[in-house]
Amino acid sequence: MDLARQAADMLGVELVAARLLAGGDLSPVAALSLADGRRVIAKGGPAPQIEARMLRALGTAGARVPAVLAACEDCLVMEALPDQGALAASGWAELGTMLSALHDAPPSDPGFVRITPYGWVEDYAFGPVAIPNAPLSDWSSFWGERRLLPAQPFLPVDLARRIDGLAGQLPDRLPACPAPALLHGDLWAGNVLASGGRLSGLIDPASYYGDGEVDLAMLHLFGAPGPEFIAAYGALSPGWETRRAIYQLWPALVHVRLFGAGYHGMVAGLLDRLGV
């Protein structure tokens, strides 16, 4: 396994065993056992060094994430976090508390945040799907130009037209200047690790600065966090239901581009909820 051998070489430790992990649809992921007794994770992908910077930023802001051990152009080596089972009620509460603190943390990296609050200093990708992150000072402009409109060429004409119509309404539907929160950026349940019902940490970020409600929208798209999470995170501002549907369109559009027309219905359903 080339990825495993490369990771071991990067750490300067002999590789004892390696196995590919399930779920690496967009990037190969392997669990490694090393001669020094450590168990680590090696991951390929479109931009391992950028992911390493995102993990470090999240960790600096107080999020539980795997420690970055090494990174190069085509391999990221990380601490292996415990991963057995799902979150129990106490784990959901831990996640809510941690996420609230992450979103409230003052921006510390990258430095553009003091001038241009929304975005990231580097573009990223979900496999073959580019994620443009060039910073903008207005949040509704960022969401329209960087998240919704890039999907138009990949949609049927009717859905592309509806996305264009919604983008024109965003200044009236989204806050212009929400507090710039450091986002995980791909916070679905599969990227939340648990052990014994407790929170182990978060993996596979696609981070940038934006409205903290974006992470909540993703977390609710394919599941329903329990009341313990909601109570621990805290109350949202009025109008969150509308904003959630707008923010859920982004991962729905990504799924269209990654997995095809089977997700057109999800996009149409969210637009129906928004009356577009």
Side-chain angles (χ1 to χ4, degrees), residues 63-150:
R64 250 182 257 176
V65 293
V68 174
L69 304 178
C72 67
E73 289 186 0
D74 52 7
C75 181
L76 170 62
V77 190
M78 300 168 286
E79 170 191 16
L81 297 178
D83 181 19
Q84 295 109 15
L87 292 176
S90 59
W92 281 113
E94 287 180 288
L95 178 60
T97 298
M98 186 186 75
L99 204 61
S100 178
L102 172 67
H103 292 165
D104 286 342
S108 58
D109 179 38
F112 73 82
V113 169
R114 288 184 291 275
I115 301 170
T116 308
Y118 309 112
W120 191 257
V121 292
E122 300 162 299
D123 292 338
Y124 196 49
F126 290 128
V129 176
I131 305 175
N133 282 329
L136 289 173
S137 59
D138 178 84
W139 173 242
S140 64
S141 297
F142 180 89
W143 197 254
E145 295 176 24
R146 306 286 189 258
R147 294 294 178 261
L148 300 187
L149 294 178

Side-chain angles (χ1 to χ4, degrees), residues 92 187-189 216-226 244 248 266:
W92 281 113
L187 194 66
W188 69 291
L216 303 189
M218 183 64 188
L219 194 58
H220 284 80
L221 183 59
F222 297 110
R244 179 162 296 175
Q248 287 178 335
M266 177 182 283

Side-chain angles (χ1 to χ4, degrees), residues 1 3 57 68 100 118 124 137 149 161 173 178 186 219 237 240-241 245 251-252:
M1 188 186 302
L3 179 66
V68 174
S100 178
Y118 309 112
Y124 196 49
S137 59
L149 294 178
R161 175 184 53 78
R173 289 180 176 251
D186 190 22
L219 194 58
S237 301
W240 64 265
E241 298 93 340

Side-chain angles (χ1 to χ4, degrees), residues 205-229:
S207 294
Y208 57 101
Y209 284 91
D211 187 344
E213 290 183 19
V214 170
D215 276 343
L216 303 189
M218 183 64 188
L219 194 58
H220 284 80
L221 183 59
F222 297 110
E228 298 83 6
F229 171 85

Side-chain angles (χ1 to χ4, degrees), residues 157-185:
V157 172
D158 62 326
L159 288 181
R161 175 184 53 78
R162 295 172 73 185
I163 289 291
D164 188 65
L166 175 61
Q169 298 173 15
L170 291 182
D172 298 321
R173 289 180 176 251
L174 295 180
C177 299
L182 177 57
L183 304 176
H184 176 279

